[in-house]
């Protein structure tokens, strides 16, 4: 078999480890050949790919980013997009199947294409951890580690100046990164999309910390909204899947805290640092296992499925199940963290 691999959507640490795992098992156990599509779905639509022999994936599990490049191209758009065109390109190049490594947008497109008869298996990837049907996605652990380190560092400068620090992390419409990094870093308030809060409540938590002589640290998820807001804050337009690009809520909240409490406040948006650099050991292992399992799924012709982590086991699930709704933070997990606020 000749298998094409693509990495699409926002990159995340661990993508290269999936590619390596898939190529090593495919080569060693099944004798499959591999090609890598350049720039996500764009490479599929344009027939742009490179050979991926075994020696090309040597030492890759520790490398951040993706050797194939990524983009947020929608495979249904453009003159050469859509299932018929893509199938023709695959046939012309003798490519039998695609392993699509991506997040919600990528996997939704993969599911649609698989429903149209294309041979596609998915691998979940996202620092946001927002996909149903997988307990964790690789990239999340690394992002939490980076955000936690940022909080630790901001805490020392906050204490020196007796300032309030509002630290914004990524996560789109789910608060997993904020919840975990906030708990790990000992934030005095964690603000997540699933749990809108009033500015009065936030200031109350901040003031309690100041009254104890401490410098308050607030960890806010980019998708958080105040109770007075109808939607998450977005000022950067839409991505290729027509989803708002989020970011900047910390810059809104910090001055509001300062104005209401009189405590000097600063906003820090960690941004893409959370997606860069080497994956954590946990993410390297998870990503490698998913790559190994993806090749098994291809070999078994499990089209339209996605490999996923359940407990400690890697299993196949339907992409439909994984993309039906977001994996949000359950209320009891927030209540647990809330005991530590203020
Ligand atoms: O989905 C991953 C993610 O990093 C989100 O947390 C964030 O909102 C978005 O991608 C940023 O997208 P971009 O890389 O296009 O700025």
């Amino acid at each position: 078999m000749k298998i094409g691999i693509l990495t699409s959507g926002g990159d995340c640490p661990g993508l290269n480890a999936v590619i390596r795992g898939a190529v090593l098992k495919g080569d060693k156990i099944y004798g499959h050949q591999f090609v890598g599509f350049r720039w996500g779905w764009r490479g599929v639509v344009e027939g742009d790919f490179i050979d991926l022999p075994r020696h090309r994936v040597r030492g890759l599990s520790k490398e951040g980013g993706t050797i194939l490049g990524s983009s947020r191209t929608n495979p249904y758009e453009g003159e050469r997009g859509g299932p018929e065109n893509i199938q023709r390109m695959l046939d012309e190049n003798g490519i039998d199947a695609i392993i699509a490594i991506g997040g919600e947008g990528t996997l939704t497109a993969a599911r649609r294409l698989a429903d149209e008869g294309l041979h596609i298996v998915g691998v979940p990837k996202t620092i946001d951890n927002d996909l149903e049907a997988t307990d964790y996605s690789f990239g999340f652990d690394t992002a939490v580690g980076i955000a936690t380190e940022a909080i630790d560092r901001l805490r020392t400068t906050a204490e020196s100046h007796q300032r309030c620090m509002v630290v914004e992390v990524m996560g789109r419409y789910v608060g997993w990164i904020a919840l975990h990094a906030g708990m790990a870093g000992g934030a005095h308030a964690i603000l997540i999309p699933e749990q809108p809060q009033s500015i009065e409540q936030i200031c109350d938590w901040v003031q309690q910390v100041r009254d104890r002589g401490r410098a308050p640290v607030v960890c806010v998820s980019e998708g958080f909204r105040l109770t007075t807001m109808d939607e998450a804050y977005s000022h950067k337009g839409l991505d290729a899947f027509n989803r708002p690009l989020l970011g900047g809520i910390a810059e809104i909240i910090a001055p509001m805290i300062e104005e209401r409490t009189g405590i000097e406040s600063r906003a820090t948006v960690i941004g893409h640092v959370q997606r860069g650099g080497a994956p954590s050991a946990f993410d390297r292992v998870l990503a490698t296992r998913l790559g190994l399992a993806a090749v098994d799924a291809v070999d078994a012709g499990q089209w339209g499925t996605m490999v996923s982590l359940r407990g400690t086991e890697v299993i196949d699930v339907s992409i439909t199940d994984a993309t039906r709704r977001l994996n949000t933070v359950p209320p009891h997990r927030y209540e647990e963290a809330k005991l530590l606020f203020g």
Side-chain angles (χ1 to χ4, degrees):
M1 255 190 187
K2 190 165 163 187
I3 303 170
I5 304 183
L6 68 91
T7 53
S8 173
D11 73 341
C12 88
L15 289 168
N16 286 324
V18 179
I19 297 169
R20 173 176 168 273
V23 171
L24 290 188
K25 183 159 192 183
D27 175 77
K28 206 168 171 179
I29 305 297
Y30 299 112
H32 294 325
Q33 273 181 286
F34 289 85
V35 295
F37 291 106
R38 305 280 291 139
W39 315 113
W41 290 115
R42 197 197 305 166
V44 175
V45 169
E46 296 178 358
D48 180 9
F49 55 85
I50 54 170
D51 284 337
L52 276 185
R54 190 180 165 149
H55 69 82
R56 186 68 190 80
V57 300
R58 194 182 292 150
L60 270 193
S61 68
K62 64 181 186 319
E63 303 297 334
T66 159
I67 57 162
L68 300 176
S70 189
S71 71
R72 293 199 193 271
T73 303
N74 185 337
Y76 276 84
E77 281 174 7
E79 276 175 21
R80 294 157 79 183
E84 290 89 27
N85 290 334
I86 292 175
Q87 187 60 60
R88 192 174 318 115
M89 184 282 298
L90 294 174
D91 292 342
E92 280 167 12
N93 292 288
I95 299 169
D96 304 291
I98 295 177
I99 294 177
I101 313 170
E104 190 218 339
T106 305
L107 292 171
T108 302
R111 190 213 4 101
R112 277 182 73 188
L113 291 168
D115 287 348
E116 309 264 11
L118 272 74
H119 293 175
I120 304 187
V121 163
V123 177
K125 154 264 39 156
T126 164
I127 63 163
D128 304 333
N129 203 36
D130 61 353
L131 283 166
E132 268 282 316
T134 186
D135 288 352
Y136 286 101
S137 49
F138 68 85
F140 171 67
D141 183 68
T142 308
V144 168
I146 293 166
T148 302
E149 191 195 335
I151 294 172
D152 290 347
R153 288 177 184 278
L154 287 164
R155 183 189 287 285
T156 63
T157 167
E159 294 283 356
S160 306
H161 295 272
Q162 284 294 286
R163 285 173 173 158
C164 169
M165 290 292 182
V166 182
V167 193
E168 179 179 312
V169 299
M170 285 183 164
R172 218 185 278 284
Y173 293 109
V174 303
W176 287 112
I177 299 179
L179 184 78
H180 280 225
M183 280 185 93
H188 302 105
I190 299 171
L191 308 175
I192 63 173
E194 296 88 338
Q195 301 276 346
Q197 303 291 342
S198 67
I199 190 66
E200 289 76 21
Q201 172 64 81
I202 298 168
C203 289
D204 187 46
W205 284 323
V206 164
Q207 193 62 58
Q208 285 176 36
V209 180
R210 166 51 66 88
D211 291 348
R212 289 201 312 277
R214 303 281 311 280
V217 175
V218 176
C219 180
V220 60
S221 179
E222 61 181 0
F224 169 77
R225 59 193 167 86
L226 291 162
T227 43
T228 48
M229 296 162 66
D230 291 333
E231 286 173 357
Y233 181 68
S234 167
H235 67 288
K236 301 180 204 161
L238 304 174
D239 70 13
F241 294 94
N242 283 327
R243 299 173 306 188
L245 286 163
L246 304 180
I249 184 69
E251 310 272 6
I252 306 288
I253 291 176
M256 290 172 105
I257 293 174
E258 182 164 314
E259 193 189 316
R260 283 172 173 73
T261 62
I263 303 169
E264 192 182 16
S265 300
R266 294 283 190 271
T268 301
V269 180
I270 310 178
H272 292 82
V273 173
Q274 289 158 99
R275 293 213 318 239
S280 66
F282 179 91
D283 282 338
R284 291 182 205 189
V285 173
L286 175 57
T288 303
R289 291 181 72 203
L290 293 176
L292 300 173
V295 169
D296 291 337
V298 168
D299 203 71
Q302 306 269 49
W303 315 129
T305 65
M306 177 187 99
V307 290
S308 90
L309 184 70
R310 274 287 165 74
T312 55
E313 296 307 311
V314 174
I315 59 165
D316 290 341
V317 295
S318 90
I319 299 182
T320 310
D321 288 346
T323 50
R324 198 169 286 142
R325 57 170 187 262
L326 291 179
N327 173 30
T328 51
V329 174
H332 74 272
R333 286 293 312 271
Y334 192 68
E335 287 307 314
E336 184 183 64
K338 224 168 153 185
L339 289 170
L340 309 167
F341 295 1

